[in-house]
Short mmCIF file of all heavy atoms in Angstrom, two decimals:
data_model
loop_
_atom_site.label_atom_id
_atom_site.label_comp_id
_atom_site.label_asym_id
_atom_site.label_seq_id
_atom_site.Cartn_x
_atom_site.Cartn_y
_atom_site.Cartn_z
N PRO A 2 9.58 -26.10 -27.73
CA PRO A 2 9.84 -25.70 -26.35
C PRO A 2 9.00 -26.47 -25.33
O PRO A 2 9.30 -26.43 -24.14
CB PRO A 2 9.52 -24.21 -26.32
CG PRO A 2 8.81 -23.90 -27.57
CD PRO A 2 9.05 -25.02 -28.54
N ALA A 3 7.99 -27.19 -25.79
CA ALA A 3 7.19 -28.00 -24.88
C ALA A 3 7.88 -29.32 -24.56
O ALA A 3 7.54 -29.98 -23.58
CB ALA A 3 5.81 -28.25 -25.46
N GLU A 4 8.85 -29.72 -25.38
CA GLU A 4 9.59 -30.96 -25.12
C GLU A 4 10.46 -30.74 -23.90
O GLU A 4 11.16 -29.72 -23.79
CB GLU A 4 10.43 -31.29 -26.37
CG GLU A 4 11.01 -32.69 -26.39
CD GLU A 4 12.32 -32.79 -25.63
OE1 GLU A 4 13.15 -31.89 -25.74
OE2 GLU A 4 12.49 -33.78 -24.90
N PRO A 5 10.43 -31.66 -22.92
CA PRO A 5 11.11 -31.44 -21.64
C PRO A 5 12.60 -31.09 -21.74
O PRO A 5 13.06 -30.17 -21.08
CB PRO A 5 10.91 -32.75 -20.89
CG PRO A 5 9.68 -33.35 -21.49
CD PRO A 5 9.69 -32.92 -22.92
N ARG A 6 13.37 -31.80 -22.54
CA ARG A 6 14.80 -31.52 -22.65
C ARG A 6 15.04 -30.15 -23.30
O ARG A 6 15.94 -29.42 -22.91
CB ARG A 6 15.51 -32.61 -23.45
CG ARG A 6 15.48 -33.94 -22.76
CD ARG A 6 16.86 -34.26 -22.28
NE ARG A 6 16.89 -35.62 -21.79
CZ ARG A 6 17.12 -35.93 -20.53
NH1 ARG A 6 17.36 -34.98 -19.67
NH2 ARG A 6 17.14 -37.18 -20.15
N HIS A 7 14.22 -29.83 -24.28
CA HIS A 7 14.34 -28.54 -24.94
C HIS A 7 14.02 -27.42 -23.95
O HIS A 7 14.74 -26.42 -23.87
CB HIS A 7 13.41 -28.48 -26.15
CG HIS A 7 13.51 -27.20 -26.90
ND1 HIS A 7 14.49 -26.94 -27.81
CD2 HIS A 7 12.74 -26.08 -26.85
CE1 HIS A 7 14.33 -25.73 -28.30
NE2 HIS A 7 13.27 -25.18 -27.74
N ARG A 8 12.96 -27.58 -23.21
CA ARG A 8 12.55 -26.58 -22.22
C ARG A 8 13.67 -26.40 -21.19
O ARG A 8 14.02 -25.28 -20.82
CB ARG A 8 11.23 -26.99 -21.55
CG ARG A 8 10.69 -25.96 -20.59
CD ARG A 8 9.32 -26.30 -20.03
NE ARG A 8 9.22 -27.67 -19.53
CZ ARG A 8 8.56 -28.67 -20.13
NH1 ARG A 8 7.95 -28.45 -21.28
NH2 ARG A 8 8.52 -29.86 -19.60
N GLU A 9 14.25 -27.50 -20.74
CA GLU A 9 15.35 -27.44 -19.76
C GLU A 9 16.55 -26.69 -20.35
O GLU A 9 17.15 -25.85 -19.67
CB GLU A 9 15.76 -28.86 -19.36
CG GLU A 9 16.88 -28.91 -18.35
CD GLU A 9 17.27 -30.35 -18.02
OE1 GLU A 9 16.48 -31.28 -18.27
OE2 GLU A 9 18.38 -30.52 -17.51
N ALA A 10 16.89 -26.96 -21.59
CA ALA A 10 18.01 -26.27 -22.24
C ALA A 10 17.72 -24.77 -22.36
O ALA A 10 18.61 -23.94 -22.14
CB ALA A 10 18.29 -26.87 -23.61
N LEU A 11 16.50 -24.41 -22.69
CA LEU A 11 16.13 -23.00 -22.78
C LEU A 11 16.23 -22.32 -21.41
O LEU A 11 16.67 -21.17 -21.31
CB LEU A 11 14.72 -22.84 -23.35
CG LEU A 11 14.56 -23.21 -24.82
CD1 LEU A 11 13.09 -23.16 -25.22
CD2 LEU A 11 15.39 -22.32 -25.71
N GLU A 12 15.83 -23.03 -20.36
CA GLU A 12 15.93 -22.47 -19.01
C GLU A 12 17.37 -22.26 -18.60
O GLU A 12 17.72 -21.23 -18.01
CB GLU A 12 15.21 -23.39 -18.01
CG GLU A 12 13.70 -23.37 -18.17
CD GLU A 12 13.00 -24.47 -17.40
OE1 GLU A 12 13.66 -25.29 -16.72
OE2 GLU A 12 11.75 -24.53 -17.49
N ILE A 13 18.24 -23.21 -18.93
CA ILE A 13 19.67 -23.07 -18.63
C ILE A 13 20.24 -21.88 -19.39
O ILE A 13 21.01 -21.07 -18.84
CB ILE A 13 20.43 -24.37 -18.97
CG1 ILE A 13 20.03 -25.47 -18.00
CG2 ILE A 13 21.95 -24.14 -18.95
CD1 ILE A 13 20.49 -26.85 -18.40
N THR A 14 19.86 -21.76 -20.66
CA THR A 14 20.33 -20.64 -21.47
C THR A 14 19.87 -19.32 -20.87
O THR A 14 20.66 -18.37 -20.77
CB THR A 14 19.82 -20.78 -22.92
OG1 THR A 14 20.31 -22.01 -23.46
CG2 THR A 14 20.25 -19.63 -23.79
N ALA A 15 18.63 -19.23 -20.45
CA ALA A 15 18.10 -18.00 -19.87
C ALA A 15 18.83 -17.65 -18.58
O ALA A 15 19.17 -16.47 -18.35
CB ALA A 15 16.60 -18.14 -19.62
N ARG A 16 19.09 -18.65 -17.73
CA ARG A 16 19.82 -18.39 -16.47
C ARG A 16 21.25 -17.94 -16.76
O ARG A 16 21.77 -17.04 -16.10
CB ARG A 16 19.81 -19.63 -15.57
CG ARG A 16 18.46 -19.90 -14.93
CD ARG A 16 18.55 -20.91 -13.79
NE ARG A 16 19.24 -22.14 -14.12
CZ ARG A 16 18.66 -23.25 -14.57
NH1 ARG A 16 17.36 -23.29 -14.74
NH2 ARG A 16 19.38 -24.32 -14.82
N THR A 17 21.88 -18.55 -17.75
CA THR A 17 23.24 -18.17 -18.11
C THR A 17 23.27 -16.74 -18.63
O THR A 17 24.14 -15.94 -18.24
CB THR A 17 23.81 -19.15 -19.17
OG1 THR A 17 23.78 -20.47 -18.63
CG2 THR A 17 25.22 -18.78 -19.57
N GLU A 18 22.34 -16.40 -19.50
CA GLU A 18 22.28 -15.04 -20.03
C GLU A 18 22.03 -14.03 -18.91
O GLU A 18 22.62 -12.95 -18.91
CB GLU A 18 21.23 -14.93 -21.12
CG GLU A 18 21.64 -15.62 -22.39
CD GLU A 18 20.57 -15.58 -23.47
OE1 GLU A 18 19.52 -14.93 -23.28
OE2 GLU A 18 20.80 -16.19 -24.54
N ALA A 19 21.16 -14.37 -17.97
CA ALA A 19 20.89 -13.46 -16.84
C ALA A 19 22.15 -13.26 -16.00
O ALA A 19 22.44 -12.14 -15.57
CB ALA A 19 19.75 -14.02 -15.99
N ALA A 20 22.91 -14.33 -15.78
CA ALA A 20 24.15 -14.22 -15.01
C ALA A 20 25.17 -13.35 -15.73
O ALA A 20 25.84 -12.50 -15.12
CB ALA A 20 24.73 -15.61 -14.74
N ILE A 21 25.29 -13.53 -17.04
CA ILE A 21 26.21 -12.71 -17.83
C ILE A 21 25.79 -11.24 -17.78
O ILE A 21 26.61 -10.35 -17.57
CB ILE A 21 26.28 -13.22 -19.29
CG1 ILE A 21 26.94 -14.59 -19.34
CG2 ILE A 21 27.04 -12.23 -20.17
CD1 ILE A 21 26.79 -15.30 -20.67
N ALA A 22 24.50 -10.99 -17.94
CA ALA A 22 23.98 -9.62 -17.89
C ALA A 22 24.26 -8.99 -16.53
O ALA A 22 24.66 -7.82 -16.45
CB ALA A 22 22.49 -9.59 -18.21
N ASP A 23 24.06 -9.75 -15.46
CA ASP A 23 24.34 -9.22 -14.12
C ASP A 23 25.80 -8.84 -13.96
O ASP A 23 26.11 -7.78 -13.41
CB ASP A 23 23.97 -10.25 -13.05
CG ASP A 23 22.47 -10.39 -12.85
OD1 ASP A 23 21.71 -9.52 -13.33
OD2 ASP A 23 22.06 -11.38 -12.21
N VAL A 24 26.70 -9.68 -14.43
CA VAL A 24 28.14 -9.37 -14.33
C VAL A 24 28.46 -8.10 -15.11
O VAL A 24 29.13 -7.20 -14.60
CB VAL A 24 29.00 -10.56 -14.82
CG1 VAL A 24 30.45 -10.15 -14.99
CG2 VAL A 24 28.88 -11.73 -13.86
N LEU A 25 27.97 -8.02 -16.35
CA LEU A 25 28.24 -6.84 -17.17
C LEU A 25 27.70 -5.57 -16.53
O LEU A 25 28.36 -4.53 -16.50
CB LEU A 25 27.66 -7.02 -18.57
CG LEU A 25 28.31 -8.09 -19.44
CD1 LEU A 25 27.50 -8.30 -20.70
CD2 LEU A 25 29.74 -7.71 -19.77
N HIS A 26 26.50 -5.66 -15.99
CA HIS A 26 25.87 -4.50 -15.37
C HIS A 26 26.57 -4.14 -14.06
O HIS A 26 26.91 -2.98 -13.82
CB HIS A 26 24.38 -4.75 -15.15
CG HIS A 26 23.67 -3.61 -14.52
ND1 HIS A 26 23.46 -2.41 -15.17
CD2 HIS A 26 23.15 -3.46 -13.28
CE1 HIS A 26 22.83 -1.59 -14.36
NE2 HIS A 26 22.62 -2.19 -13.21
N ASN A 27 26.80 -5.13 -13.21
CA ASN A 27 27.38 -4.88 -11.89
C ASN A 27 28.83 -4.40 -11.97
O ASN A 27 29.30 -3.70 -11.07
CB ASN A 27 27.28 -6.12 -11.00
CG ASN A 27 25.85 -6.44 -10.64
OD1 ASN A 27 24.98 -5.58 -10.67
ND2 ASN A 27 25.59 -7.69 -10.32
N LYS A 28 29.54 -4.78 -13.01
CA LYS A 28 30.93 -4.34 -13.19
C LYS A 28 31.00 -2.99 -13.90
O LYS A 28 32.08 -2.50 -14.19
CB LYS A 28 31.74 -5.38 -13.98
CG LYS A 28 31.88 -6.71 -13.30
CD LYS A 28 32.90 -6.63 -12.20
CE LYS A 28 33.11 -8.01 -11.59
NZ LYS A 28 34.07 -7.99 -10.52
#
């Protein structure tokens, strides 16, 4: 996770999961 591309991919995954969770919760 310290490797820059890996860290970036993890951040994208976390943002995507947060967006999915928001949709599920808000709906």
Side-chain angles (χ1 to χ4, degrees):
E4 193 275 319
R6 295 251 188 244
H7 182 81
R8 184 174 49 253
E9 180 181 341
L11 291 174
E12 290 168 0
I13 291 168
T14 300
R16 287 194 309 267
T17 302
E18 288 178 4
I21 293 168
D23 286 346
V24 168
L25 292 171
H26 180 69
N27 292 337
K28 296 284 184 180

